[in-house]
Amino acid sequence: MPELPEVVTTVKFLKERIKNSFIKDVWTNTFNIFKEPKFDLAKEILKDKKILEIKNRGKYIIFELSNDYFLILHQKLSGHLLLGKWKIENNEAFPIINGPIKDDPRNLYLRVILFLSYKFDLGLCDVRKFSSILIGRKELIERLNKNIGANFLEISFENFYRCLFKKRKIKQVLMDQKCFSGIGNIYSDEALWESKINPNTLAIKLDKNLAKILFENMRKILKKAISLKGTSISDYRLPNGKIGLYGFYRKVYKRKNCKRCGSKIERVKINQRFSYFCPICQIF
């Protein structure tokens, strides 16, 4: 699932290239991605709207449009956005420009395309079809802000530490988007490994010093991942179809052996998601 580094990378890329363009038309072959409103009305609303701004709230990408409309996109488990050109045949989209978008199989599962007044169009690629799109006015943004915490890189240590006073596993707290947003499986595992904390440890058991170490390690890892344009060991790709490079630097997520002690990495399911950790190094 795209996490904060992947979303920040995507937003920066799109802002530099399609901000101030107009949406000329909309296509989909996966109607249930449009959650609110349904596709026919969504298409009517989006046509001829100008993209005024692009930003994110945690894992959500927010397009601010003309006439006080907003489009909110969540890429879920396997979605990513692409800038390209496609032709539609038998209600399927096929890339017509050579390069990573055409050559990488991960970039071929187009579900939604916004045709723009620009040399490229904006496509949503999602092999599992779990992505979601919401369109509305200011109330939609207010609803999102009410239910989603601030981006992790924008919070203070004090706000982070207050979220730890819960009888829940630390991995669960790190991934709770209501506390702070943007952290998922990859970067929670990486920060816990760096801090030598077991993902099953109850958050309330972390003293202030250890919590501070975890907080600083998470910030450091997120910033490094952003500088490397995210992790592409699964579905995520940059909008130009290329891969992010953090996957080459990860220490524990989906690794076989610990980068610190060489021990075999263990995998445990927490909240229906697999967590990777070193049973020898992560002793707290």
Side-chain angles (χ1 to χ4, degrees), residues 105-134:
R106 295 285 187 182
N107 292 325
L108 300 180
Y109 297 91
L110 269 294
R111 308 302 180 191
V112 177
I113 298 175
L114 302 184
F115 294 99
L116 305 176
S117 60
Y118 176 66
K119 62 181 179 179
F120 295 125
D121 300 314
L122 179 62
L124 170 63
C125 185
D126 189 352
V127 63
R128 298 192 187 183
K129 306 181 185 181
F130 290 158
S131 296
S132 67
I133 291 174
L134 304 172

Side-chain angles (χ1 to χ4, degrees), residues 157-249:
F157 171 69
E158 287 70 27
N159 287 338
F160 171 73
Y161 190 55
R162 278 196 291 270
C163 288
L164 302 187
F165 292 103
K166 299 179 179 182
K167 291 184 178 179
R168 297 167 63 195
K169 296 176 181 180
I170 183 59
K171 174 70 180 268
Q172 293 173 303
V173 174
L174 290 178
M175 293 180 62
D176 186 345
Q177 303 302 297
K178 291 185 178 180
C179 291
F180 32 76
S181 59
I183 300 171
N185 239 12
I186 298 173
Y187 301 110
S188 57
D189 282 357
E190 292 293 299
L192 290 170
W193 181 90
E194 194 71 38
S195 308
K196 299 183 179 180
I197 299 171
N198 191 294
N200 287 300
T201 297
L202 292 180
I204 200 170
K205 290 188 176 182
L206 269 64
D207 62 34
K208 200 162 189 176
N209 288 334
L210 190 54
K212 183 71 171 178
I213 291 171
L214 176 59
F215 177 76
E216 293 299 338
N217 281 332
M218 181 63 78
R219 287 177 58 85
K220 178 183 70 175
I221 287 167
L222 289 174
K223 288 179 179 180
K224 183 177 180 65
I226 289 171
S227 72
L228 294 169
K229 297 180 170 55
T231 302
S232 292
I233 58 174
S234 184
D235 301 284
Y236 166 73
R237 298 294 185 269
L238 278 71
N240 61 4
K242 297 182 179 180
I243 66 170
L245 300 178
Y246 185 81
F248 296 107
Y249 294 86

